[in-house]
Amino acid sequence: MNEHGAVNFNDLYSRDLEAAKQFYNAVFGWESIDLGPGGQMWTLPGYGDHLDLLTPGHAEMIAEMGGPAGFENVVASLNLIDPDDADTQPHWGITFAVEDADATAARAVELGGAVVLPPTDAPWVRMSVLRDPAGAVFSASQFAPENA
C-alpha cells in the first residue's frame, strides 16, 4: 500500500450516481461521503482500521491532514460523467503510486506507451494519465502533500 508500483486508488465514472450507490452498497457494503466541490468518495466502514494494522498511524495521519470524518475508510472515488459527454462510457479507473510522476510519464513513452494527460499538480498529488502499448489507460500518482 502506498508504495511505488502499488495500486493506490480506484475511481468509478458513472452517469447515474444514485444507481451506482445502491448497487455497490448492496454488493460490497460501500457507503459514500460527499466532499462538496471535492466530489464523492466510496467508503467501506472499518477499512481504516485494516489500514492501521498495515500502516500504524494511518487514521491519525488522515485526521492531521484535515481529512473529513470517515475519510480513513475511503476505497475509491465516485465521479459523474458530464451529461454533455456522449462518448465516455461508464468505467472504472485505476491509479498506481509512483515516486516521480514526471519520470514515470517519460519512461512510459520510452517503453512504447503514451501520455494522455501530462504530469499535473492536483490536490494532494502530482499525477499523469498514461496509456500502455496495448491501449489500457491508467493514472500514475505521486503523493504531494504540499498540493493540499
Side-chain angles (χ1 to χ4, degrees):
M1 177 180 89
N2 296 329
E3 294 180 3
H4 174 74
V7 171
N8 180 267
F9 211 67
N10 296 290
D11 308 279
L12 176 66
Y13 297 87
S14 175
R15 294 187 189 291
D16 189 341
L17 299 186
E18 291 309 311
K21 288 178 187 179
Q22 291 175 13
F23 178 82
Y24 287 98
N25 178 263
V27 173
F28 297 124
W30 291 358
E31 299 173 359
S32 66
I33 58 174
D34 189 343
L35 302 178
Q40 295 186 51
M41 298 288 174
W42 292 111
T43 65
L44 176 61
Y47 184 59
D49 295 335
H50 171 72
L51 293 178
D52 259 344
L53 291 174
L54 298 173
T55 308
H58 170 78
E60 184 178 319
M61 178 190 69
I62 296 294
E64 287 175 1
M65 290 190 309
F71 198 77
E72 71 278 5
N73 294 318
V74 165
V75 295
S77 72
L78 175 58
N79 306 278
L80 180 65
I81 297 171
D82 188 322
D84 295 331
D85 180 355
D87 297 327
T88 300
Q89 295 298 309
H91 64 280
W92 278 96
I94 187 167
T95 300
F96 294 95
V98 298
E99 291 179 28
D100 183 328
D102 295 87
T104 300
R107 183 74 173 137
V109 171
E110 289 173 15
L111 296 171
V115 175
V116 176
L117 174 71
T120 304
D121 288 328
W124 299 100
V125 299
R126 180 157 179 80
M127 52 87 60
S128 181
V129 178
L130 308 172
R131 182 179 301 115
D132 75 13
V137 176
F138 62 96
S139 297
S141 177
Q142 171 188 338
F143 182 58
E146 65 274 13
N147 291 349

